[in-house]
Amino acid sequence: MSAVASPIAVEQIHWWQSRTLRRFMRHRLALIGVAMIVILTFACVCGPWLLPYDELYIDIRARFASPMTGAHIFGTDPLGRDIAARLFMAGRISLLVGFFAMLLSTAIGTVIGITAGYYGGRLGAALMRFVDAFLSFPSIFLLLVLAAFIKPSPFMITVIIAVTSWMEIARIVEAEIRSLRERDFVMAARMLGLRDTKIMFRELLPNAIGPIIVAATLTVARAILLEAYVSFLGYGIQPPLPSWGNMLNGAQQYLDRAPWLAIVPGVAITLAVTSFNFIGDGLRDALDARSDID
């Protein structure tokens, strides 16, 4: 009688069952950060549609209305515009600027870092000296100089922030790739005749994705803060288009009379930046096998 070999059952691990996710879910501050970002995003996306006023509606009779006055849950500004409507619309702009600046700066930093780390030698040294040259100038100074000579718009502010924020990611990627390029799987890929670009982006990059994700998350927080900073100084998003930064700029002369004009956007900036930092810390601990969360 012939024996029929039974197939060996291999348990499939889904992403929601991964050890990394379990470690992240045990990071309480990271979960608070995720919850706050979800709430902020929902409020900014849906809030303007749920309010009776839009961000440009002017009601002179309701100037400087305090919070929770009628339909003005966050009060009104010197022109009688609803603070909540302006806050949510400004949040759309600030969050989009932060997200797309992160994508662009991560792409630039990853390409330069992976090229420098993989090839090394004179090319790698030249690229890293280029990174060091950018790092030698304060990012705020570079941002303000570029913003002063370019017509401000959400798109241009996003590009300017990305151009001044990619250097840290490049250094992180370069260090990771340099430590991976002599591993056995890279040597095997070279022996198989794979092109350098395939080795870099199909073999090395997935193995360095953890630190990149952490750095990208922290870059969102930094981009939101930079947009608010440059808009507060008058070089960023220009009125009547609202952003959290120019809302603070318009509130500074009314701090004694209407402090909520500064408190409301200030709290929004603080919550967004702190939440993304919490998420970045949670991802760093979850992706680090040496972390003691598990």
Side-chain angles (χ1 to χ4, degrees):
M1 183 175 62
S2 61
V4 179
S6 61
I8 299 176
V10 179
E11 183 180 0
Q12 183 180 3
I13 303 298
H14 299 284
W15 66 268
W16 58 84
Q17 299 173 321
S18 66
R19 185 168 179 263
T20 299
L21 181 61
R22 293 199 305 270
R23 292 161 66 87
F24 181 81
M25 295 297 292
R26 294 175 184 174
H27 198 292
R28 294 183 180 178
L29 290 179
L31 295 180
I32 293 174
V34 171
M36 290 307 306
I37 293 302
V38 170
I39 293 171
L40 274 175
T41 302
F42 178 81
C44 293
V45 171
C46 301
W49 295 339
L50 302 177
L51 295 172
Y53 308 102
D54 63 30
E55 73 280 5
L56 299 178
Y57 179 79
I58 296 176
D59 184 2
I60 296 297
R61 295 172 298 178
R63 295 174 67 245
F64 294 112
S66 59
M68 306 308 296
T69 300
H72 304 292
I73 58 175
F74 292 149
T76 61
D77 67 4
L79 297 178
R81 296 174 297 188
D82 185 67
I83 294 295
R86 293 183 61 77
L87 180 80
F88 296 149
M89 187 58 67
R92 290 184 182 182
I93 296 172
S94 296
L95 292 175
L96 285 174
V97 167
F99 180 74
F100 284 106
M102 175 272 292
L103 290 180
L104 185 55
S105 63
T106 301
I108 297 172
T110 298
V111 170
I112 293 178
I114 199 171
T115 303
Y118 180 76
Y119 289 107
R122 293 182 178 178
L123 176 60
L127 288 174
M128 295 314 295
R129 297 299 75 76
F130 178 69
V131 173
D132 291 339
F134 267 83
L135 285 173
S136 64
F137 294 95
S139 296
I140 295 296
F141 173 76
L142 287 174
L143 182 64
L144 291 176
V145 169
L146 291 174
F149 288 98
I150 297 176
K151 184 178 180 180
S153 68
F155 173 77
M156 292 309 304
I157 294 299
T158 300
V159 173
I160 292 172
I161 292 175
V163 167
T164 58
S165 303
W166 58 269
M167 295 81 73
E168 291 83 0
I169 294 177
R171 294 190 68 88
I172 292 172
V173 174
E174 189 270 342
E176 288 292 322
I177 298 302
R178 184 155 39 86
S179 67
L180 292 171
R181 67 185 180 187
E182 301 301 331
R183 297 284 182 89
D184 291 342
F185 70 92
V186 179
M187 303 299 292
R190 289 171 179 164
M191 293 178 63
L192 291 173
L194 294 182
R195 296 194 301 270
D196 288 345
T197 53
K198 285 190 175 182
I199 296 176
M200 287 190 291
F201 292 100
R202 294 179 58 181
E203 303 295 334
L204 286 171
L205 184 58
N207 287 278
I209 200 66
I212 296 175
I213 292 175
V214 175
T217 305
L218 298 176
T219 300
V220 178
R222 185 168 181 266
I224 292 173
L225 200 57
L226 287 174
E227 184 278 322
Y229 182 86
V230 74
S231 295
F232 175 77
L233 294 178
Y235 294 99
I237 309 300
Q238 299 296 308
L241 193 64
S243 78
W244 289 338
N246 65 30
M247 289 179 70
L248 284 175
N249 179 282
Q252 56 184 332
Q253 59 182 316
Y254 302 107
L255 290 177
D256 56 340
R257 181 178 179 182
W260 59 86
L261 297 178
I263 293 174
V264 171
V267 169
I269 294 171
T270 302
L271 288 177
V273 172
T274 304
S275 297
F276 277 113
N277 283 330
F278 284 163
I279 295 172
D281 290 342
L283 288 172
R284 181 191 59 202
D285 293 340
L287 293 168
D288 186 1
R290 297 168 295 181
S291 176
D292 58 356
I293 292 180
D294 201 11

